[in-house]
Amino acid sequence: MNDRIPQEAQLAQSIALSREPLPASRKTHVAGSLHPELRVPMRAISLTNGETVTVYDASGPYTDPAAQIDVRRGLPAPRAAWVEARQDTEAYEGRRIQLIDDGLRDQEQQLKLRELSAGLQRTPRRAKAGHNVTQLHYARRGIITPEMEFVAIRENQRLDWMREYEADAEREARLRGKPMGAHIPAQITPEFVREEVARGRAIIPANINHPELEPMAIGRNFLVKVNANIGNSAVTSSIEEEVEKMVWATRWGADTVMDLSTGRNIHTTRDWIIRNSAVPIGTVPIYQALEKVGGVAEDLTWALFRDTLIEQAEQGVDYFTIHAGLRLPFVPLTVKRRTGIVSRGGSILAKWCIAHHQENFLYTHFEEICEIMKAYDVSFSLGDGLRPGSLADANDEAQFAELRTLGELTKIAWKHDVQTMIEGPGHVPMHLIQANMDEQLKHCDEAPFYTLGPLTTDIAPGYDHITSGIGAAMIGWSGCAMLCYVTPKEHLGLPDRDDVKAGLMAYKIAAHAADVAKGHPGARARDDALSKARFEFRWTDQFNLGLDPETAREFHDETLPKDSAKVAHFCSMCGPKFCSMKITQEVRDYAAAQQGMADKSAEFKAQGGELYIPIAKS
Amino acid sequence: MNDRIPQEAQLAQSIALSREPLPASRKTHVAGSLHPELRVPMRAISLTNGETVTVYDASGPYTDPAAQIDVRRGLPAPRAAWVEARQDTEAYEGRRIQLIDDGLRDQEQQLKLRELSAGLQRTPRRAKAGHNVTQLHYARRGIITPEMEFVAIRENQRLDWMREYEADAEREARLRGKPMGAHIPAQITPEFVREEVARGRAIIPANINHPELEPMAIGRNFLVKVNANIGNSAVTSSIEEEVEKMVWATRWGADTVMDLSTGRNIHTTRDWIIRNSAVPIGTVPIYQALEKVGGVAEDLTWALFRDTLIEQAEQGVDYFTIHAGLRLPFVPLTVKRRTGIVSRGGSILAKWCIAHHQENFLYTHFEEICEIMKAYDVSFSLGDGLRPGSLADANDEAQFAELRTLGELTKIAWKHDVQTMIEGPGHVPMHLIQANMDEQLKHCDEAPFYTLGPLTTDIAPGYDHITSGIGAAMIGWSGCAMLCYVTPKEHLGLPDRDDVKAGLMAYKIAAHAADVAKGHPGARARDDALSKARFEFRWTDQFNLGLDPETAREFHDETLPKDSAKVAHFCSMCGPKFCSMKITQEVRDYAAAQQGMADKSAEFKAQGGELYIPIAKS
């Protein structure tokens, strides 16, 4: 899922950061109670009727006009104090940057890069000898960290404004979610977050070297999250350009961002991104390792890979995709497949295994990897190198053999108190999706599942955000904790800004539809608020409560651009005479004015019907 | 779901018909065996490896370069002979066209319109006295009509080319569909079609006055179908423009088209569309009836409505949406709703009921409506006037009370041998979708369900083709027979060509994903063919096998426009070094060359693993 730009597309552009708040929105912060210093960000949307709707906000300080941001110096780091206060970490000199880290041969080039990034260099920290600094470790010892309370506040999204929408008991009973095994309390408490992390059912990806982070949780009993992949440009024009990709993705709701850069300057690009990111950053370290050996998979070594892990851990990467479940014996299982191995990491490791006739070195060195992870609190994202790349290969033995191995590895990671989530497919027809979730829950003991789609059909290149959005919504409902987005360019080429946004929109829809179906407390309140605005012809509010206010307004204005149309009791779809909502209002007004209706009402009440309550004119 | 253009958007444009075949595609025809005169159209896609893939084709003669088409004279009418051969119909003078039919006051204007449409006037036919000419009537008497055989051939999509993709027994067992109560035979026979129609489980919408039709079936044991809505322009510039909307929709896979025109010229527009349409045309007659009474719902009368039904039946409309289930007692049930009544037809009838304090005249005159339907074989699409317009209103008593009434009406329609399908919601969260299907099956005894979406969240105006595509795929899997598309402009304004295409793409994906999940024979073969092309780097074939070859190619060519890239073993997404499919091929080649792998294979076979079969280089 990378968007490495090939030579043909090297268009260096200087892009300004997207900093304007979304329409009618302002950033608010909620303080902690256990940790009063917390400032948990939310987005407050002001409606034209005086109400305010507050929603989850992944966009970081960028959408806060009050925030002073200098991408050459990085974001403020409030979390640094929390980490230091725990007194279990130490600053140290850290690994020395090498030419090869950026894929360069020219010392001068690197010096230039380093100079540009001078303001972004930090002294790394690691666990003191004998200490384990993971959120899982703290959780198991009964400690509620600031990170945990931050997450609890964030997940609740200010429940207060939602109460009105939940007041109707009949409606609440009728619409009650079907949690499919999830256990979501009415209010997320810091203690609940701690319990979920301790149980391994949720992770808070939060490297101690990423103090700019606004912590978030990934787990089946929390809001379903969305990841967006970004990658460096082959020719990097500026820090702004690289940072903007992350800013753009989080603006449209990416809860985490994976930096899948390849080629040159990847170490430096990573500095730029992490120092300026308020969301967790994930990577696939094998990509950089492969660059370091000139793209020859056979030349990969454990020593080189280990060094790369430390390099990235010191920079502050929050989670690593590690394809340790792709074992040598599973490779032959892929030979009969329609589309073989489609994971890049998977194919690299398969090639290594076959070339050396040896077991995957990530598998054989797994406990050593755990030692690194727990010294920085990097979370595992155990990669599914054998995920199916076509419906034909879905749920086959290669895929499930690897999944079972990921289950084994989860237990080992947990033994080390290392936070762990599991990656999943891929291409899976609708009727086989549930089995993926069931197998994952069974073998990985409810460690969070993190899937790519799944794509429910192969026949729509150009529309795979939709083929996969269907699968993503379904698996999200079934218990998947995070959905890795797919853009319309999947299988075809490099996604551009519009594609990134289109992918995120499809996935925010899928995640939200899943939250509603699971019965996440308050998830449906935003639907209700928007529908109410729609019914009351508050067009502006309808736009602004949506996932993409700009597009909604633009679509509306294509045919009715005038300001007067924003309060009109119709739109161009049906025109003034045929607007059912307008007619319904007329029916209600008419009904309210008719004494006869009261009798009707009594009659149907007697028949066991609904109570008729004439509503006031809006 | 209408796209009536308001005054602001009256841009008369002259548009040429879309007639070029899709890339690498040619029209083929399959002859009948019971009825050798049948020429069932399919689309044959030629691949670069010499193979041919044949798919279902709803696009009519327009994509056949050999077809001579003159929109002023209408399409050829092969079906006329089938109807006449049955000897149970008679030509008759028919109802006289009135000024009001086109919403005109000016005789001259109408004369001009009539002149333009002179070549499209036909003498209507109706059942001879005492006869019933519905496909359901024939089916129950054991008659396999040409329409039924046409459907059988069409549904099979030339199974021959699919065999290769189904040859792997392990794979077929693993991917076997989960039919959710559907019973789909391996081969659709004409007798099976007859049985399904006789049982009321499928309909073949086919007005005897629509002889241009290429018959198709709607039923849970057939391929899931998709409907697109179109509407006239407020200012009509040409026949071509109106016909092109239908041509454009069917080009992208619309199996039926609803003409939801309102305002002026609707009678004439309908002539233009039906005479040039190879797909069934549906309407909501209450729209035209309302126009005839100047938009004042209270002024509607049974006599006027009846006259409108005959007017449209004589023109050849294949199915009517009739909101006969919206009963007076149900109207008060909507008052507590978040979004009241959102169906236009529903709100019109609710207004009538309330204004007159009388039962819905469509309900009280239902058997008289049946008499008209069976004289022309117009199918019922029993409208859900009380469908929910927001998640908050999903599955409420108003909705289900109406659904139960539609069940009663289905039995009455069946008593008259009138073909019937049932319309469904609307806005429904994922976890309440199955209940909609269950209730519909239970109360309507498996009469085909025809749903709008459902939309699984309300928070994404501008993206409702996606919010609803998710629900459409799920309900399609559960047994819904036809999905009414939703475009990105839903709730916001008038859809344009791009929106129509975007809506259709989302819905063709949903329908196909449902067919795959249900286990429709051969549905997955196209996925396999495309995935095989993808794996073998046959880029052109990958594009051409997709639902939208043009967009797929365009996306690919944005970064790699050269012809050489069409055979390149990578794309711009991952670049040459990181293409997993390329690496997989290398792994396979490497493995095939290694004697050691044979030993590995034996070893894992002994462990109960998969058989290792080295494949030849592609």
Side-chain angles (χ1 to χ4, degrees):
Chain A
M1 304 310 106
N2 187 6
D3 60 1
R4 182 178 181 280
I5 303 183
Q7 298 303 317
E8 287 84 341
Q10 292 176 4
L11 287 170
Q13 289 173 317
S14 186
I15 295 169
L17 293 181
S18 298
R19 292 235 21 205
E20 65 288 11
L22 291 178
S25 296
R26 69 192 157 75
K27 181 86 65 182
T28 60
H29 293 94
V30 180
S33 60
L34 297 175
H35 305 91
E37 72 278 18
L38 301 186
R39 295 183 75 235
V40 182
M42 297 186 187
R43 177 160 71 96
I45 307 167
S46 300
L47 307 188
T48 58
N49 66 354
E51 293 177 3
T52 298
V53 161
T54 310
V55 298
Y56 197 102
D57 182 7
S59 65
Y62 295 94
T63 48
D64 183 356
Q68 300 288 328
I69 296 176
D70 177 354
V71 294
R72 281 174 170 68
R73 309 198 61 79
L75 295 180
R79 211 184 138 234
W82 316 347
V83 171
E84 280 172 42
R86 289 194 275 259
Q87 299 187 324
D88 51 4
T89 58
E90 60 186 8
Y92 71 112
E93 193 176 350
R95 180 183 168 282
R96 206 157 178 175
I97 176 103
Q98 297 167 24
L99 266 179
I100 207 171
D101 298 347
D102 276 314
L104 300 175
R105 292 188 193 169
D106 180 346
Q107 196 90 42
E108 244 174 273
Q109 247 182 322
Q110 188 166 49
L111 279 174
K112 233 170 68 186
L113 265 178
R114 290 285 96 192
E115 202 175 315
L116 207 63
S117 316
L120 299 172
Q121 301 313 307
R122 304 283 183 269
T123 305
R125 301 186 76 85
R126 67 180 167 202
K128 287 181 185 165
H131 283 269
N132 183 327
V133 299
T134 70
Q135 295 289 321
L136 175 51
H137 186 71
Y138 303 135
R140 283 180 168 174
R141 299 172 138 214
I143 300 166
I144 295 175
T145 61
E147 287 86 346
M148 294 171 199
E149 189 184 14
F150 193 102
V151 160
I153 295 168
R154 200 168 196 189
E155 290 279 329
N156 286 322
Q157 302 174 77
R158 285 189 85 115
L159 289 165
D160 50 336
W161 76 266
M162 302 175 183
R163 296 294 174 223
E164 185 211 340
Y165 298 95
E166 294 168 352
D168 183 333
E170 179 277 331
R171 183 193 294 158
E172 286 312 299
R174 173 163 46 82
L175 298 177
R176 184 162 296 133
K178 192 176 165 192
M180 310 285 273
H183 295 281
I184 311 169
Q187 175 117 19
I188 306 285
T189 62
E191 169 59 16
F192 178 76
V193 175
R194 187 199 64 73
E195 284 167 14
E196 289 294 297
V197 172
R199 171 65 181 74
R201 201 151 48 201
I203 66 170
I204 300 175
N207 186 323
I208 55 168
N209 289 313
H210 188 193
E212 303 85 357
L213 185 76
E214 294 172 350
M216 52 76 73
I218 302 167
R220 69 183 300 195
N221 293 325
F222 297 98
L223 291 162
V224 175
K225 303 304 188 298
V226 169
N227 171 71
N229 295 330
I230 61 172
N232 62 335
S233 308
V235 171
T236 303
S237 62
S238 69
I239 301 186
E240 283 81 4
E241 189 183 333
E242 296 303 322
V243 173
E244 169 62 9
K245 291 177 189 170
M246 178 271 299
V247 171
W248 181 250
T250 57
R251 178 179 183 78
W252 298 112
D255 293 292
T256 78
V257 165
M258 290 195 80
D259 173 13
L260 302 184
S261 295
T262 55
R264 272 190 291 182
N265 308 341
I266 41 181
H267 179 98
T268 299
T269 303
R270 202 181 302 122
D271 270 343
W272 296 354
I273 292 172
I274 296 174
R275 295 286 74 79
N276 287 292
S277 172
V279 300
I281 300 295
T283 61
V284 187
I286 201 84
Y287 293 177
Q288 188 179 12
L290 187 70
E291 294 288 351
K292 291 180 180 177
V293 294
V296 182
E298 301 87 300
D299 292 352
L300 287 166
T301 64
W302 161 241
L304 179 110
F305 186 77
R306 184 182 185 283
D307 184 58
T308 305
L309 290 186
I310 291 171
E311 171 190 350
Q312 297 196 10
E314 289 179 351
Q315 285 184 290
V317 173
D318 299 290
Y319 63 89
F320 287 154
T321 293
I322 303 282
H323 298 94
L326 189 156
R327 297 190 55 190
L328 174 64
F330 306 154
V331 178
L333 302 179
T334 66
V335 173
K336 279 199 335 177
R337 280 181 154 189
R338 172 65 74 213
T339 46
I341 300 173
V342 297
S343 148
R344 283 192 291 158
S347 61
I348 293 163
L349 287 159
K351 202 171 176 189
W352 188 93
C353 290
I354 298 290
H356 294 278
H357 261 273
Q358 278 181 24
E359 186 54 274
N360 180 347
F361 63 85
L362 301 177
Y363 181 80
T364 54
H365 291 273
F366 192 71
E367 300 222 29
E368 289 162 84
I369 299 175
C370 290
E371 294 295 340
I372 298 169
M373 307 297 264
K374 67 192 189 194
Y376 301 91
D377 197 7
V378 183
S379 298
F380 273 118
S381 184
L382 294 177
D384 58 333
L386 299 179
R387 67 167 175 269
S390 55
L391 298 196
D393 296 341
N395 294 21
D396 72 352
E397 182 52 22
Q399 184 196 338
F400 281 161
E402 181 184 43
L403 180 59
R404 288 191 297 270
T405 307
L406 299 183
E408 290 167 31
L409 297 173
T410 300
K411 272 86 176 184
I412 296 172
W414 283 353
K415 191 184 72 183
H416 289 271
D417 288 354
V418 175
Q419 302 192 90
T420 302
M421 64 180 167
I422 313 293
E423 294 184 10
H427 292 239
V428 183
M430 284 197 285
H431 65 296
L432 299 185
I433 288 177
Q434 186 62 50
N436 274 274
M437 197 67 232
D438 293 345
E439 287 292 298
Q440 193 272 345
L441 290 171
K442 181 174 148 197
H443 296 292
C444 304
D445 200 14
E446 294 192 274
F449 205 20
Y450 168 29
T451 60
L452 180 72
L455 287 73
T456 55
T457 165
D458 305 337
I459 68 165
Y463 298 85
D464 278 329
H465 59 314
I466 300 180
T467 65
S468 67
I470 294 167
M474 292 175 71
I475 203 161
W477 174 22
S478 293
C480 184
M482 185 156 77
L483 310 169
C484 182
Y485 87 162
V486 169
T487 80
K489 289 275 170 62
E490 182 75 16
H491 298 117
L492 297 170
L494 174 75
D496 60 21
R497 272 167 82 87
D498 290 343
D499 297 318
V500 167
K501 186 174 169 187
L504 276 162
M505 286 301 109
Y507 274 70
K508 294 305 281 186
I509 288 168
H512 184 76
D515 287 333
V516 168
K518 281 202 298 183
H520 195 97
R524 225 190 53 245
R526 186 167 173 186
D527 298 83
D528 277 10
L530 192 145
S531 290
K532 195 178 168 204
R534 181 173 282 159
F535 189 64
E536 292 173 358
F537 298 102
R538 287 184 277 115
W539 287 97
T540 302
D541 295 343
Q542 186 190 155
F543 306 151
N544 294 346
L545 284 165
L547 290 178
D548 180 0
E550 292 160 14
T551 297
R553 178 180 289 268
E554 207 173 277
F555 280 3
H556 177 269
D557 288 2
E558 268 179 34
T559 43
L560 292 173
K562 292 177 194 160
D563 272 354
S564 62
K566 300 298 183 303
V567 290
H569 282 202
F570 62 91
C571 78
S572 75
M573 199 163 105
C574 306
K577 231 173 7 184
F578 273 91
C579 177
S580 62
M581 293 207 174
K582 179 160 167 278
I583 296 177
T584 299
Q585 294 283 26
E586 290 168 12
V587 167
R588 289 191 181 183
D589 296 346
Y590 192 100
Q594 291 264 332
Q595 182 51 36
M597 282 307 287
D599 308 335
K600 273 279 162 229
S601 162
E603 181 186 325
F604 289 106
K605 223 158 77 183
Q607 290 172 10
E610 288 294 306
L611 183 64
Y612 168 57
I613 305 172
I615 58 155
K617 281 176 81 160
S618 65
Chain B
M1 305 308 110
N2 188 3
D3 61 359
R4 181 178 180 278
I5 303 182
Q7 298 303 318
E8 288 85 341
Q10 291 176 4
L11 288 170
Q13 290 174 317
S14 187
I15 295 170
L17 293 182
S18 299
R19 293 238 17 209
E20 65 288 11
L22 289 179
S25 296
R26 67 192 158 74
K27 181 85 66 182
T28 60
H29 292 93
V30 180
S33 60
L34 297 175
H35 305 90
E37 73 277 19
L38 300 186
R39 294 183 75 235
V40 182
M42 297 186 188
R43 177 160 71 96
I45 307 168
S46 299
L47 307 188
T48 58
N49 66 353
E51 293 177 2
T52 298
V53 161
T54 310
V55 298
Y56 197 101
D57 183 7
S59 66
Y62 295 95
T63 48
D64 184 356
Q68 299 288 329
I69 296 176
D70 176 354
V71 293
R72 282 175 168 68
R73 308 197 61 79
L75 295 180
R79 210 184 138 234
W82 316 347
V83 171
E84 281 172 40
R86 290 194 275 259
Q87 299 189 320
D88 51 3
T89 59
E90 58 186 9
Y92 71 112
E93 192 176 350
R95 180 184 167 281
R96 204 146 177 189
I97 177 105
Q98 298 167 23
L99 266 179
I100 207 172
D101 298 346
D102 276 314
L104 300 174
R105 291 185 195 171
D106 180 347
Q107 197 90 42
E108 245 175 274
Q109 248 182 322
Q110 189 167 49
L111 279 174
K112 235 170 66 188
L113 267 177
R114 290 285 96 193
E115 203 175 313
L116 208 60
S117 315
L120 299 171
Q121 301 313 306
R122 304 284 183 269
T123 305
R125 301 186 76 84
R126 67 181 168 204
K128 286 181 185 165
H131 283 268
N132 183 327
V133 298
T134 71
Q135 294 291 320
L136 175 51
H137 187 71
Y138 302 136
R140 285 180 168 173
R141 298 172 139 215
I143 298 166
I144 296 175
T145 62
E147 288 85 348
M148 295 172 199
E149 189 184 14
F150 193 102
V151 160
I153 295 168
R154 200 168 196 189
E155 290 279 328
N156 287 322
Q157 302 173 78
R158 286 188 84 117
L159 290 166
D160 49 337
W161 76 266
M162 303 176 183
R163 295 295 173 220
E164 185 212 338
Y165 298 95
E166 293 167 351
D168 183 331
E170 177 278 329
R171 184 193 294 160
E172 286 312 300
R174 173 163 46 82
L175 298 177
R176 184 163 294 133
K178 191 175 164 192
M180 309 285 273
H183 295 282
I184 312 169
Q187 174 118 19
I188 306 286
T189 62
E191 170 59 16
F192 178 77
V193 176
R194 187 200 63 74
E195 283 167 15
E196 289 294 298
V197 172
R199 171 64 181 75
R201 201 150 50 200
I203 66 170
I204 301 175
N207 186 323
I208 55 167
N209 289 313
H210 190 192
E212 302 86 357
L213 185 75
E214 294 172 350
M216 51 76 73
I218 302 167
R220 68 183 302 195
N221 293 325
F222 297 98
L223 291 162
V224 174
K225 304 304 189 298
V226 169
N227 172 71
N229 294 329
I230 62 171
N232 62 334
S233 309
V235 170
T236 303
S237 63
S238 68
I239 301 185
E240 283 80 4
E241 188 182 334
E242 296 303 321
V243 172
E244 169 62 10
K245 291 177 188 170
M246 177 271 298
V247 171
W248 181 250
T250 57
R251 177 178 183 79
W252 299 112
D255 294 291
T256 78
V257 164
M258 289 196 79
D259 172 14
L260 302 183
S261 296
T262 55
R264 274 189 291 182
N265 310 341
I266 41 181
H267 179 97
T268 299
T269 302
R270 202 181 302 121
D271 270 344
W272 296 353
I273 292 172
I274 296 174
R275 294 286 76 77
N276 287 292
S277 172
V279 301
I281 299 296
T283 63
V284 188
I286 200 86
Y287 293 177
Q288 187 179 13
L290 188 71
E291 294 287 351
K292 291 181 180 177
V293 294
V296 182
E298 302 89 298
D299 293 350
L300 287 166
T301 64
W302 162 241
L304 179 110
F305 186 78
R306 184 183 184 283
D307 183 57
T308 305
L309 290 186
I310 291 172
E311 172 190 349
Q312 297 196 11
E314 289 180 349
Q315 286 184 289
V317 174
D318 300 289
Y319 62 90
F320 287 154
T321 292
I322 303 283
H323 298 94
L326 189 156
R327 297 190 55 190
L328 174 64
F330 306 153
V331 178
L333 301 179
T334 67
V335 174
K336 279 199 337 178
R337 280 182 155 188
R338 173 65 72 213
T339 46
I341 300 173
V342 297
S343 147
R344 284 192 290 158
S347 62
I348 294 163
L349 287 159
K351 201 170 177 189
W352 187 93
C353 289
I354 297 291
H356 294 278
H357 259 273
Q358 278 180 23
E359 188 53 275
N360 180 348
F361 63 85
L362 301 177
Y363 181 81
T364 55
H365 291 273
F366 192 72
E367 301 222 29
E368 289 162 84
I369 299 175
C370 290
E371 295 295 339
I372 298 169
M373 307 298 263
K374 68 192 189 194
Y376 301 91
D377 197 8
V378 182
S379 298
F380 273 119
S381 184
L382 294 177
D384 58 334
L386 298 179
R387 68 167 175 268
S390 56
L391 297 195
D393 297 341
N395 293 21
D396 73 351
E397 182 53 21
Q399 183 196 338
F400 281 160
E402 182 185 43
L403 180 58
R404 288 190 295 272
T405 307
L406 298 183
E408 291 167 29
L409 297 172
T410 300
K411 272 89 177 184
I412 296 171
W414 283 353
K415 192 184 72 185
H416 290 272
D417 289 353
V418 174
Q419 302 193 89
T420 302
M421 62 180 167
I422 313 293
E423 294 184 10
H427 292 240
V428 183
M430 283 196 287
H431 65 298
L432 300 185
I433 289 176
Q434 186 63 48
N436 274 274
M437 197 67 233
D438 292 345
E439 287 292 298
Q440 193 271 345
L441 290 172
K442 179 174 150 196
H443 296 292
C444 304
D445 200 13
E446 293 192 276
F449 205 19
Y450 167 31
T451 61
L452 180 71
L455 287 73
T456 56
T457 165
D458 305 337
I459 69 165
Y463 299 85
D464 279 329
H465 59 313
I466 299 179
T467 65
S468 67
I470 294 167
M474 291 175 72
I475 204 160
W477 175 23
S478 293
C480 184
M482 186 157 77
L483 309 169
C484 182
Y485 89 161
V486 170
T487 80
K489 289 275 171 61
E490 182 75 16
H491 300 117
L492 297 171
L494 173 73
D496 60 21
R497 273 168 81 88
D498 290 342
D499 298 318
V500 166
K501 186 175 168 186
L504 276 163
M505 285 302 109
Y507 274 70
K508 293 306 281 186
I509 288 168
H512 184 76
D515 288 333
V516 167
K518 281 201 298 184
H520 195 97
R524 226 191 52 245
R526 186 166 171 186
D527 298 84
D528 277 9
L530 192 145
S531 291
K532 194 179 167 203
R534 181 173 282 157
F535 189 63
E536 292 173 357
F537 298 102
R538 287 183 276 115
W539 287 97
T540 303
D541 294 343
Q542 186 189 155
F543 307 150
N544 293 346
L545 284 165
L547 290 177
D548 180 0
E550 292 160 14
T551 297
R553 176 180 291 267
E554 207 174 276
F555 281 4
H556 176 270
D557 288 2
E558 269 179 32
T559 44
L560 292 174
K562 293 178 195 158
D563 273 354
S564 61
K566 300 296 184 303
V567 290
H569 282 202
F570 61 92
C571 77
S572 74
M573 199 162 106
C574 306
K577 231 175 7 187
F578 274 91
C579 178
S580 62
M581 291 205 175
K582 180 159 165 278
I583 295 176
T584 299
Q585 294 282 28
E586 290 168 11
V587 166
R588 288 191 182 182
D589 296 346
Y590 192 99
Q594 291 265 332
Q595 181 52 36
M597 284 306 287
D599 308 335
K600 271 280 161 227
S601 163
E603 180 186 327
F604 289 106
K605 223 158 77 182
Q607 291 171 9
E610 288 293 306
L611 184 63
Y612 167 58
I613 307 172
I615 59 156
K617 283 175 82 159
S618 66

